[in-house]
Amino acid sequence: MALNSINPTQTKAWSKLSAHYEAIKESQMKTWFKENPNRADEFTIEWEDFYVDFSKNRITSKTLMLFKELAKELKLEDAISKYFDGDIINQTEGRAVLHTALRAPSQAEVFFEGKNVIPEIQKVKLNIKTFSKAIIDGTKKGYTDKPFTDIVNIGIGGSDLGPAMVVDSLSFYGNHLKPHYVSNVDGDHVNEVLKSLDPETTLFVIVSKTFTTQETLSNATTIKKWFLKHGTQTDIAKHFVAVSTNISKVKAFGIETSNIFPMWDWVGGRFSLWSSVGLSISLAVGYDHFDSLLNGAHKMDLHFKQEKFETNIPVILAFLSIWYNNFFNAESEAVIPYTQYLNQFATYLQQAIMESNGKSIDRSGNKVNYQTGNLIWGEPGTNSQHAFFQLIHQGSKLIPADFIGFANSLHGNSDHHDKLISNFIAQTEALLNGKSKAEVLLEGTEVAIVPFKVFEGNKPTNTIFIKQLTPESLGKLIAMYEHKIFVQGVLWNVFSYDQFGVELGKQLANKILNEFDSDSSLSHDASTSNLLNYYKNSRL
Ligand code: F6P
């Protein structure tokens, strides 16, 4: 069954939230902290190895109560059941959205079109396990009988960002295989990667759900040609595997059936790292870690499905995001992990969040009259403190931020870790309290300089404190954001699981490509024609 279509701004709860916003918009969080000594405890959720403190937000218990009313009016509970039950909630593409089934335990039952999909998933997982083990332990070898040293994932978007981010995040758990990711159609990308590779000891994993993506097929073709300068056609079977739903296209590319890891239509690209799209994860960190990642995500699925909204982490985060986006008119959200391992996390989230909820047509096909989507950006702390934190602290924009930190480091160097975490905690304190004119004066600052040293404070943050970065906790963290995306899409009344917005540019690029070597030119606006001609005249 389809999701409901209700304009959120027409609900009673939305009107109440608007009135509530007017009443509290000038309130200072620090005053609330003084008035209520239990505020931090009241707005903290402790779950498994997660400690989520959302007390430094411009909310009261009434805000959450009204959001609960909103969720009720917009039938969030019903939507959650449909999501997990494999209903066709990706209505515009006629598909279910079942990435949660990929991490369900083997005894689970998830039905799609009357068939339990779990046995099929388990079969593919077993293939991933057997294959990765054989590559890692060296029983499967290259065409000159040498064990593999490098793996190259060739894919883009969801077929690249998820696995690349996870492998980078879990590099502490990595084995001897050196992972590489080739995504951009820019030939300089693939050539830089190839420079360091030995064809005799490199495994190539071509990942494309559709197997029609220009970037991936161009890179795969270039790599195949490079490989064939060394090995022969028959050696390809030992060095190239593919992950796709489009088996016939993979075969046409020259990959054997036994080297194809299938995936399914009901897994969206940006939510596919849990499927065989995650093959490079299993290769780089081993299947057991890959399985723990899935297990962590499954735990978050259960939390999201079963927990009441007041203490449901993804639900609360989604409420907060809508609160700032639609009532405070915040334009963006920052995600700041206090670990270098999560260096690629914001980039990964950009696709997951912006490709999902960057929509302006509601589920009835009408243009929305309210803001949807979030601009997502971020970099690890403490580096970002020395880059863009100035704007978060003293700029004219309101930027709610998620601070993600881990209580224990992986290398155990407590001196560094204490310094890191002192910054992690201090930044949210500074954003909350700011620094008043009186405080600046007290420091003996020259009067003319005082305004420049004042910090307004009252800047909202969530602190997501996790015991340690493990495959399991990473799985929980990613799934937390996936469900936050889902809740926001439901409440905003948009379809979160299609991505038609990426098509137009692709189509035009194909047309323009054909014009580069042709004398005739299609009709373009003057700017586009000039650019096209500039390129034609400039290229060597
Ligand atoms: O261009 C966007 C997109 O369709 C993403 O949604 C997807 O993850 C990516 O392209 C790659 O697609 P494929 O896996 O089919 O190559």
Side-chain angles (χ1 to χ4, degrees):
M1 280 229 308
L3 294 175
N4 291 294
S5 174
I6 305 168
N7 181 337
T9 64
Q10 315 271 288
T11 59
K12 286 196 193 107
W14 195 276
S15 306
K16 290 189 205 169
L17 277 163
S18 301
H20 172 62
Y21 164 74
E22 289 301 328
I24 69 154
K25 67 180 182 196
E26 305 296 345
S27 303
Q28 289 288 319
M29 290 187 275
K30 61 181 172 194
T31 314
W32 289 333
F33 272 102
K34 277 188 201 129
E35 287 168 0
N36 177 8
N38 295 326
R39 181 176 170 88
D41 294 336
E42 279 170 18
F43 294 141
T44 293
I45 302 170
E46 281 193 72
W47 169 77
E48 296 239 332
D49 48 350
F50 276 46
Y51 184 92
V52 180
D53 178 348
F54 58 100
S55 61
K56 291 185 181 102
N57 276 293
R58 291 165 73 167
I59 56 161
T60 65
S61 45
K62 185 170 176 187
T63 323
L64 293 183
M65 194 193 78
L66 294 178
F67 264 103
K68 258 187 73 180
E69 281 183 34
L70 180 72
K72 195 160 183 220
E73 277 188 76
L74 297 174
K75 305 192 185 346
L76 176 60
E77 227 172 285
D78 171 65
I80 295 174
S81 307
K82 287 175 175 158
Y83 174 42
F84 281 96
D85 290 348
D87 286 20
I88 307 292
I89 62 166
N90 176 0
Q91 217 178 299
T92 45
E93 294 183 324
R95 290 176 186 162
V97 176
L98 272 177
H99 49 274
T100 50
L102 297 166
R103 52 231 193 182
S106 53
Q107 69 280 11
E109 291 190 331
V110 179
F111 287 91
F112 175 64
E113 291 178 338
K115 192 178 154 211
N116 181 10
V117 296
I118 300 294
E120 177 85 5
I121 293 171
Q122 293 301 320
K123 207 172 102 194
V124 175
K125 278 173 78 176
L126 186 61
N127 287 347
I128 295 176
K129 181 178 180 174
T130 316
F131 181 78
S132 345
K133 193 171 171 300
I135 298 287
I136 296 166
D137 69 20
T139 27
K140 253 189 193 298
K141 295 185 172 63
Y143 69 98
T144 53
D145 233 20
K146 290 183 188 163
F148 288 100
T149 56
D150 294 75
I151 42 173
V152 182
N153 187 93
I154 310 158
I156 196 163
S159 298
D160 165 73
L161 291 165
M165 178 276 290
V166 170
V167 165
D168 198 39
S169 303
L170 297 181
S171 48
F172 178 80
Y173 302 89
N175 52 38
H176 66 281
L177 293 171
K178 201 162 168 231
H180 310 263
Y181 288 82
V182 174
S183 52
N184 202 322
V185 75
D186 177 2
D188 290 346
H189 191 186
V190 61
N191 282 302
E192 267 310 317
V193 172
L194 287 177
K195 243 165 56 177
S196 66
L197 296 176
D198 178 350
E200 294 177 33
T201 59
T202 304
L203 177 75
F204 297 98
V205 183
I206 310 172
V207 186
S208 177
K209 182 175 164 182
T210 54
F211 224 79
T212 56
T213 306
Q214 183 198 50
E215 291 88 342
T216 305
L217 292 186
S218 305
N219 283 324
T221 306
T222 299
I223 289 176
K224 192 164 92 171
K225 276 190 199 145
W226 170 86
F227 178 82
L228 287 173
K229 282 188 199 144
H230 311 272
T232 64
Q233 193 68 36
T234 34
D235 298 331
I236 285 190
K238 288 193 164 156
H239 288 259
F240 285 78
V241 298
V243 176
S244 188
T245 53
N246 196 340
I247 311 297
S248 57
K249 284 244 188 256
V250 179
K251 282 195 196 157
F253 182 83
I255 293 190
E256 291 183 3
T257 318
S258 57
N259 280 351
I260 304 175
F261 292 82
M263 60 183 293
W264 302 274
D265 256 357
W266 38 259
V267 184
R270 54 194 174 272
F271 302 99
S272 63
L273 68 91
W274 323 99
S275 69
S276 34
V277 169
L279 181 61
S280 63
I281 304 173
S282 179
L283 288 162
V285 299
Y287 180 82
D288 288 348
H289 288 318
F290 179 58
D291 202 35
S292 299
L293 179 89
L294 267 55
N295 197 25
H298 176 65
K299 287 187 180 175
M300 182 54 84
D301 294 343
L302 293 181
H303 167 80
F304 175 56
K305 205 168 146 179
Q306 295 165 356
E307 190 67 40
K308 55 184 187 307
F309 290 166
E310 295 88 317
T311 41
N312 190 315
I313 304 169
V315 170
I316 294 289
L317 294 180
F319 286 172
L320 291 167
S321 184
I322 293 182
W323 183 229
Y324 294 118
N325 193 69
N326 296 83
F327 295 90
F328 284 83
N329 295 325
E331 287 139 8
S332 71
E333 262 170 41
V335 178
I336 318 289
Y338 274 69
T339 166
Q340 200 54 34
Y341 286 117
L342 293 192
N343 191 28
Q344 296 187 36
F345 197 57
T347 312
Y348 158 78
L349 284 181
Q350 283 175 335
Q351 186 201 15
I353 295 174
M354 298 205 265
E355 200 167 82
S356 298
N357 286 333
K359 315 282 165 67
S360 54
I361 300 298
D362 71 15
R363 290 199 290 267
S364 300
N366 301 318
K367 178 105 179 130
V368 297
N369 58 353
Y370 47 89
Q371 285 292 310
T372 60
N374 304 96
L375 292 169
I376 297 296
W377 56 289
E379 282 289 324
T382 57
N383 301 21
S384 48
Q385 292 174 200
H386 297 269
F388 53 73
F389 265 49
Q390 165 66 38
L391 187 144
I392 301 186
H393 282 287
Q394 286 191 315
S396 57
K397 292 180 165 48
L398 178 72
I399 302 175
D402 285 354
F403 279 68
I404 303 168
F406 295 87
N408 297 287
S409 79
L410 289 173
H411 285 279
N413 28 23
S414 56
D415 173 48
H416 280 270
H417 205 63
D418 287 351
K419 286 174 186 159
L420 176 74
I421 298 303
S422 66
N423 276 279
F424 172 65
I425 297 173
Q427 287 295 332
T428 66
E429 186 181 34
L431 289 164
L432 164 72
N433 292 314
K435 197 193 251 187
S436 66
K437 193 174 161 191
E439 288 170 298
V440 180
L441 275 169
L442 259 183
E443 285 173 346
T445 310
E446 198 188 317
V447 174
I449 302 299
V450 169
F452 304 100
K453 293 200 167 183
V454 168
F455 289 68
E456 268 180 4
N458 217 22
K459 316 271 188 208
T461 57
N462 294 311
T463 298
I464 299 153
F465 221 161
I466 303 168
K467 286 267 158 37
Q468 195 163 40
L469 177 57
T470 62
E472 186 178 306
S473 63
L474 181 65
K476 289 173 182 163
L477 185 70
I478 300 169
M480 179 190 88
Y481 279 104
E482 287 183 343
H483 298 321
K484 178 186 170 192
I485 292 167
F486 169 79
V487 174
Q488 286 183 258
V490 170
L491 301 188
W492 277 328
N493 197 26
V494 294
F495 286 119
S496 301
Y497 298 98
D498 59 23
Q499 55 285 315
F500 297 117
V502 301
E503 294 306 325
L504 179 60
K506 285 189 205 173
Q507 287 162 8
L508 295 187
N510 280 331
K511 283 193 188 158
I512 289 177
L513 182 63
N514 289 329
E515 285 179 66
F516 288 155
D517 290 317
S518 129
D519 291 335
S520 65
S521 179
L522 298 169
S523 77
H524 298 284
D525 59 87
S527 162
T528 307
S529 296
N530 283 352
L531 293 168
L532 213 155
N533 288 329
Y534 176 77
Y535 179 67
K536 277 170 98 165
N537 296 331
S538 306
R539 65 181 177 154
L540 304 171

mmCIF file of all heavy atoms in Angstrom, residues 155-160 207-216 243 263 268-272 277 351 355 499 502-503 506, ligand 1:
data_model
loop_
_atom_site.group_PDB
_atom_site.id
_atom_site.type_symbol
_atom_site.label_atom_id
_atom_site.label_comp_id
_atom_site.label_asym_id
_atom_site.label_seq_id
_atom_site.Cartn_x
_atom_site.Cartn_y
_atom_site.Cartn_z
ATOM 1 N N GLY A 155 32.784 2.223 -9.514
ATOM 2 C CA GLY A 155 31.357 2.543 -9.382
ATOM 3 C C GLY A 155 31.228 4.020 -9.084
ATOM 4 O O GLY A 155 32.227 4.718 -8.888
ATOM 5 N N ILE A 156 30.012 4.508 -9.024
ATOM 6 C CA ILE A 156 29.818 5.936 -8.702
ATOM 7 C C ILE A 156 28.525 6.085 -7.902
ATOM 8 O O ILE A 156 27.669 5.189 -7.930
ATOM 9 C CB ILE A 156 29.815 6.801 -9.998
ATOM 10 C CG1 ILE A 156 30.013 8.285 -9.666
ATOM 11 C CG2 ILE A 156 28.557 6.588 -10.823
ATOM 12 C CD1 ILE A 156 30.420 9.157 -10.854
ATOM 13 N N GLY A 157 28.380 7.209 -7.211
ATOM 14 C CA GLY A 157 27.171 7.438 -6.401
ATOM 15 C C GLY A 157 27.064 6.368 -5.328
ATOM 16 O O GLY A 157 28.049 6.049 -4.643
ATOM 17 N N GLY A 158 25.908 5.774 -5.235
ATOM 18 C CA GLY A 158 25.688 4.750 -4.219
ATOM 19 C C GLY A 158 26.567 3.523 -4.418
ATOM 20 O O GLY A 158 26.786 2.740 -3.485
ATOM 21 N N SER A 159 27.076 3.340 -5.622
ATOM 22 C CA SER A 159 27.931 2.186 -5.885
ATOM 23 C C SER A 159 29.391 2.482 -5.564
ATOM 24 O O SER A 159 30.285 1.696 -5.891
ATOM 25 C CB SER A 159 27.783 1.765 -7.356
ATOM 26 O OG SER A 159 26.451 1.385 -7.597
ATOM 27 N N ASP A 160 29.617 3.618 -4.942
ATOM 28 C CA ASP A 160 30.976 4.048 -4.587
ATOM 29 C C ASP A 160 31.025 4.653 -3.186
ATOM 30 O O ASP A 160 31.798 4.222 -2.328
ATOM 31 C CB ASP A 160 31.442 5.099 -5.623
ATOM 32 C CG ASP A 160 32.664 5.879 -5.181
ATOM 33 O OD1 ASP A 160 33.761 5.300 -5.191
ATOM 34 O OD2 ASP A 160 32.524 7.064 -4.824
ATOM 35 N N VAL A 207 30.911 -2.174 -9.921
ATOM 36 C CA VAL A 207 29.642 -2.088 -9.202
ATOM 37 C C VAL A 207 28.720 -1.099 -9.896
ATOM 38 O O VAL A 207 29.008 0.096 -9.973
ATOM 39 C CB VAL A 207 29.879 -1.640 -7.734
ATOM 40 C CG1 VAL A 207 28.571 -1.692 -6.956
ATOM 41 C CG2 VAL A 207 30.932 -2.504 -7.061
ATOM 42 N N SER A 208 27.625 -1.604 -10.406
ATOM 43 C CA SER A 208 26.625 -0.712 -10.998
ATOM 44 C C SER A 208 25.286 -1.422 -10.974
ATOM 45 O O SER A 208 25.116 -2.458 -11.622
ATOM 46 C CB SER A 208 27.012 -0.349 -12.438
ATOM 47 O OG SER A 208 26.000 0.447 -13.006
ATOM 48 N N LYS A 209 24.372 -0.849 -10.245
ATOM 49 C CA LYS A 209 23.045 -1.469 -10.146
ATOM 50 C C LYS A 209 22.441 -1.638 -11.543
ATOM 51 O O LYS A 209 21.954 -2.689 -11.897
ATOM 52 C CB LYS A 209 22.155 -0.585 -9.260
ATOM 53 C CG LYS A 209 20.778 -1.132 -9.035
ATOM 54 C CD LYS A 209 19.997 -0.283 -8.056
ATOM 55 C CE LYS A 209 18.523 -0.619 -8.150
ATOM 56 N NZ LYS A 209 17.687 0.203 -7.271
ATOM 57 N N THR A 210 22.526 -0.585 -12.338
ATOM 58 C CA THR A 210 21.905 -0.623 -13.666
ATOM 59 C C THR A 210 22.848 -1.172 -14.743
ATOM 60 O O THR A 210 22.414 -1.645 -15.778
ATOM 61 C CB THR A 210 21.527 0.809 -14.091
ATOM 62 O OG1 THR A 210 22.718 1.626 -13.986
ATOM 63 C CG2 THR A 210 20.451 1.385 -13.192
ATOM 64 N N PHE A 211 24.120 -1.059 -14.515
ATOM 65 C CA PHE A 211 25.169 -1.389 -15.490
ATOM 66 C C PHE A 211 24.992 -0.595 -16.788
ATOM 67 O O PHE A 211 25.292 -1.054 -17.885
ATOM 68 C CB PHE A 211 25.266 -2.895 -15.770
ATOM 69 C CG PHE A 211 26.703 -3.369 -15.787
ATOM 70 C CD1 PHE A 211 27.389 -3.586 -14.612
ATOM 71 C CD2 PHE A 211 27.380 -3.549 -16.991
ATOM 72 C CE1 PHE A 211 28.725 -3.974 -14.620
ATOM 73 C CE2 PHE A 211 28.716 -3.951 -17.007
ATOM 74 C CZ PHE A 211 29.381 -4.163 -15.815
ATOM 75 N N THR A 212 24.500 0.628 -16.634
ATOM 76 C CA THR A 212 24.369 1.511 -17.797
ATOM 77 C C THR A 212 25.031 2.853 -17.502
ATOM 78 O O THR A 212 24.987 3.764 -18.332
ATOM 79 C CB THR A 212 22.875 1.800 -18.110
ATOM 80 O OG1 THR A 212 22.281 2.344 -16.949
ATOM 81 C CG2 THR A 212 22.136 0.557 -18.546
ATOM 82 N N THR A 213 25.618 3.000 -16.334
ATOM 83 C CA THR A 213 26.132 4.305 -15.912
ATOM 84 C C THR A 213 27.417 4.658 -16.660
ATOM 85 O O THR A 213 28.383 3.899 -16.654
ATOM 86 C CB THR A 213 26.369 4.288 -14.386
ATOM 87 O OG1 THR A 213 25.149 3.877 -13.786
ATOM 88 C CG2 THR A 213 26.774 5.633 -13.847
ATOM 89 N N GLN A 214 27.390 5.830 -17.313
ATOM 90 C CA GLN A 214 28.489 6.238 -18.198
ATOM 91 C C GLN A 214 29.851 6.172 -17.507
ATOM 92 O O GLN A 214 30.817 5.624 -18.034
ATOM 93 C CB GLN A 214 28.228 7.670 -18.687
ATOM 94 C CG GLN A 214 29.246 8.179 -19.667
ATOM 95 C CD GLN A 214 29.207 9.702 -19.796
ATOM 96 O OE1 GLN A 214 29.232 10.422 -18.805
ATOM 97 N NE2 GLN A 214 29.130 10.185 -21.018
ATOM 98 N N GLU A 215 29.907 6.733 -16.306
ATOM 99 C CA GLU A 215 31.186 6.818 -15.597
ATOM 100 C C GLU A 215 31.759 5.428 -15.346
ATOM 101 O O GLU A 215 32.933 5.147 -15.638
ATOM 102 C CB GLU A 215 31.004 7.523 -14.242
ATOM 103 C CG GLU A 215 30.685 8.993 -14.310
ATOM 104 C CD GLU A 215 29.196 9.297 -14.425
ATOM 105 O OE1 GLU A 215 28.414 8.380 -14.794
ATOM 106 O OE2 GLU A 215 28.806 10.437 -14.157
ATOM 107 N N THR A 216 30.923 4.562 -14.820
ATOM 108 C CA THR A 216 31.388 3.235 -14.426
ATOM 109 C C THR A 216 31.793 2.404 -15.641
ATOM 110 O O THR A 216 32.830 1.731 -15.637
ATOM 111 C CB THR A 216 30.286 2.530 -13.609
ATOM 112 O OG1 THR A 216 29.968 3.401 -12.523
ATOM 113 C CG2 THR A 216 30.723 1.177 -13.097
ATOM 114 N N VAL A 243 28.966 -6.445 -9.632
ATOM 115 C CA VAL A 243 27.786 -6.407 -8.771
ATOM 116 C C VAL A 243 26.726 -5.630 -9.538
ATOM 117 O O VAL A 243 26.964 -4.483 -9.922
ATOM 118 C CB VAL A 243 28.105 -5.657 -7.448
ATOM 119 C CG1 VAL A 243 26.849 -5.533 -6.592
ATOM 120 C CG2 VAL A 243 29.236 -6.343 -6.689
ATOM 121 N N MET A 263 22.115 -8.072 -7.093
ATOM 122 C CA MET A 263 21.396 -7.247 -6.120
ATOM 123 C C MET A 263 19.970 -7.107 -6.640
ATOM 124 O O MET A 263 19.625 -7.705 -7.654
ATOM 125 C CB MET A 263 22.098 -5.916 -5.874
ATOM 126 C CG MET A 263 22.250 -5.058 -7.080
ATOM 127 S SD MET A 263 23.146 -3.531 -6.759
ATOM 128 C CE MET A 263 22.060 -2.618 -5.700
ATOM 129 N N GLY A 268 17.770 0.625 -3.080
ATOM 130 C CA GLY A 268 18.161 1.870 -3.754
ATOM 131 C C GLY A 268 19.677 2.019 -3.728
ATOM 132 O O GLY A 268 20.324 1.603 -2.760
ATOM 133 N N GLY A 269 20.247 2.621 -4.777
ATOM 134 C CA GLY A 269 21.706 2.768 -4.866
ATOM 135 C C GLY A 269 22.332 3.343 -3.607
ATOM 136 O O GLY A 269 23.309 2.819 -3.072
ATOM 137 N N ARG A 270 21.756 4.443 -3.082
ATOM 138 C CA ARG A 270 22.379 5.111 -1.926
ATOM 139 C C ARG A 270 22.156 4.372 -0.612
ATOM 140 O O ARG A 270 22.635 4.796 0.427
ATOM 141 C CB ARG A 270 21.912 6.567 -1.850
ATOM 142 C CG ARG A 270 20.411 6.759 -1.832
ATOM 143 C CD ARG A 270 20.056 8.216 -2.102
ATOM 144 N NE ARG A 270 18.616 8.432 -2.230
ATOM 145 C CZ ARG A 270 17.942 8.317 -3.362
ATOM 146 N NH1 ARG A 270 18.559 7.952 -4.459
ATOM 147 N NH2 ARG A 270 16.647 8.559 -3.401
ATOM 148 N N PHE A 271 21.389 3.279 -0.665
ATOM 149 C CA PHE A 271 21.179 2.475 0.537
ATOM 150 C C PHE A 271 21.697 1.052 0.324
ATOM 151 O O PHE A 271 21.252 0.112 0.980
ATOM 152 C CB PHE A 271 19.676 2.446 0.890
ATOM 153 C CG PHE A 271 19.118 3.830 1.092
ATOM 154 C CD1 PHE A 271 18.412 4.468 0.088
ATOM 155 C CD2 PHE A 271 19.359 4.518 2.271
ATOM 156 C CE1 PHE A 271 17.941 5.766 0.268
ATOM 157 C CE2 PHE A 271 18.892 5.811 2.456
ATOM 158 C CZ PHE A 271 18.186 6.431 1.450
ATOM 159 N N SER A 272 22.640 0.912 -0.619
ATOM 160 C CA SER A 272 22.974 -0.436 -1.062
ATOM 161 C C SER A 272 24.258 -1.010 -0.474
ATOM 162 O O SER A 272 24.622 -2.141 -0.795
ATOM 163 C CB SER A 272 23.079 -0.462 -2.596
ATOM 164 O OG SER A 272 24.136 0.372 -3.014
ATOM 165 N N VAL A 277 26.895 -4.746 -3.079
ATOM 166 C CA VAL A 277 27.619 -3.487 -3.349
ATOM 167 C C VAL A 277 28.720 -3.306 -2.296
ATOM 168 O O VAL A 277 29.750 -2.688 -2.550
ATOM 169 C CB VAL A 277 26.626 -2.287 -3.363
ATOM 170 C CG1 VAL A 277 27.347 -0.960 -3.371
ATOM 171 C CG2 VAL A 277 25.701 -2.393 -4.579
ATOM 172 N N GLN A 351 24.937 12.407 -0.452
ATOM 173 C CA GLN A 351 24.104 11.682 -1.418
ATOM 174 C C GLN A 351 22.865 11.118 -0.733
ATOM 175 O O GLN A 351 21.743 11.276 -1.205
ATOM 176 C CB GLN A 351 24.873 10.534 -2.098
ATOM 177 C CG GLN A 351 24.000 9.912 -3.201
ATOM 178 C CD GLN A 351 24.375 8.507 -3.631
ATOM 179 O OE1 GLN A 351 25.130 7.814 -2.965
ATOM 180 N NE2 GLN A 351 23.837 8.068 -4.744
ATOM 181 N N GLU A 355 20.008 13.400 -2.162
ATOM 182 C CA GLU A 355 19.362 12.718 -3.293
ATOM 183 C C GLU A 355 17.988 12.203 -2.853
ATOM 184 O O GLU A 355 17.084 12.037 -3.661
ATOM 185 C CB GLU A 355 20.254 11.556 -3.793
ATOM 186 C CG GLU A 355 19.916 11.117 -5.205
ATOM 187 C CD GLU A 355 20.966 10.199 -5.835
ATOM 188 O OE1 GLU A 355 20.936 8.980 -5.562
ATOM 189 O OE2 GLU A 355 21.813 10.688 -6.597
ATOM 190 N N GLN A 499 15.150 9.464 -7.821
ATOM 191 C CA GLN A 499 16.190 10.482 -8.026
ATOM 192 C C GLN A 499 16.144 10.997 -9.458
ATOM 193 O O GLN A 499 17.144 11.028 -10.162
ATOM 194 C CB GLN A 499 17.594 9.952 -7.669
ATOM 195 C CG GLN A 499 18.059 8.672 -8.367
ATOM 196 C CD GLN A 499 17.394 7.449 -7.834
ATOM 197 O OE1 GLN A 499 17.272 7.274 -6.636
ATOM 198 N NE2 GLN A 499 16.933 6.584 -8.729
ATOM 199 N N VAL A 502 18.585 13.659 -11.218
ATOM 200 C CA VAL A 502 19.939 13.483 -11.753
ATOM 201 C C VAL A 502 19.913 13.197 -13.258
ATOM 202 O O VAL A 502 20.960 13.107 -13.896
ATOM 203 C CB VAL A 502 20.698 12.338 -11.015
ATOM 204 C CG1 VAL A 502 20.805 12.636 -9.540
ATOM 205 C CG2 VAL A 502 20.026 10.989 -11.239
ATOM 206 N N GLU A 503 18.707 13.061 -13.827
ATOM 207 C CA GLU A 503 18.618 12.584 -15.210
ATOM 208 C C GLU A 503 18.888 13.631 -16.283
ATOM 209 O O GLU A 503 19.582 13.364 -17.256
ATOM 210 C CB GLU A 503 17.239 11.958 -15.475
ATOM 211 C CG GLU A 503 16.964 10.692 -14.683
ATOM 212 C CD GLU A 503 18.043 9.636 -14.877
ATOM 213 O OE1 GLU A 503 18.599 9.537 -15.988
ATOM 214 O OE2 GLU A 503 18.353 8.922 -13.897
ATOM 215 N N LYS A 506 22.405 14.336 -17.272
ATOM 216 C CA LYS A 506 23.009 13.167 -17.947
ATOM 217 C C LYS A 506 22.595 13.140 -19.417
ATOM 218 O O LYS A 506 23.415 12.919 -20.312
ATOM 219 C CB LYS A 506 22.499 11.867 -17.317
ATOM 220 C CG LYS A 506 23.075 11.495 -15.971
ATOM 221 C CD LYS A 506 22.616 10.069 -15.637
ATOM 222 C CE LYS A 506 22.583 9.798 -14.159
ATOM 223 N NZ LYS A 506 22.001 8.511 -13.798
HETATM 224 O O1 F6P B 1 23.090 9.443 -10.759
HETATM 225 C C1 F6P B 1 22.559 8.973 -9.565
HETATM 226 C C2 F6P B 1 22.569 7.480 -9.460
HETATM 227 O O2 F6P B 1 21.480 6.948 -10.141
HETATM 228 C C3 F6P B 1 22.574 7.088 -8.000
HETATM 229 O O3 F6P B 1 21.340 7.079 -7.433
HETATM 230 C C4 F6P B 1 23.266 5.775 -8.040
HETATM 231 O O4 F6P B 1 23.731 5.436 -6.784
HETATM 232 C C5 F6P B 1 24.345 6.065 -9.035
HETATM 233 O O5 F6P B 1 23.736 6.897 -9.990
HETATM 234 C C6 F6P B 1 25.001 4.883 -9.684
HETATM 235 O O6 F6P B 1 24.102 4.064 -10.372
HETATM 236 P P1 F6P B 1 24.485 2.586 -10.781
HETATM 237 O O7 F6P B 1 24.752 1.808 -9.557
HETATM 238 O O8 F6P B 1 23.289 2.071 -11.524
HETATM 239 O O9 F6P B 1 25.706 2.653 -11.658
#
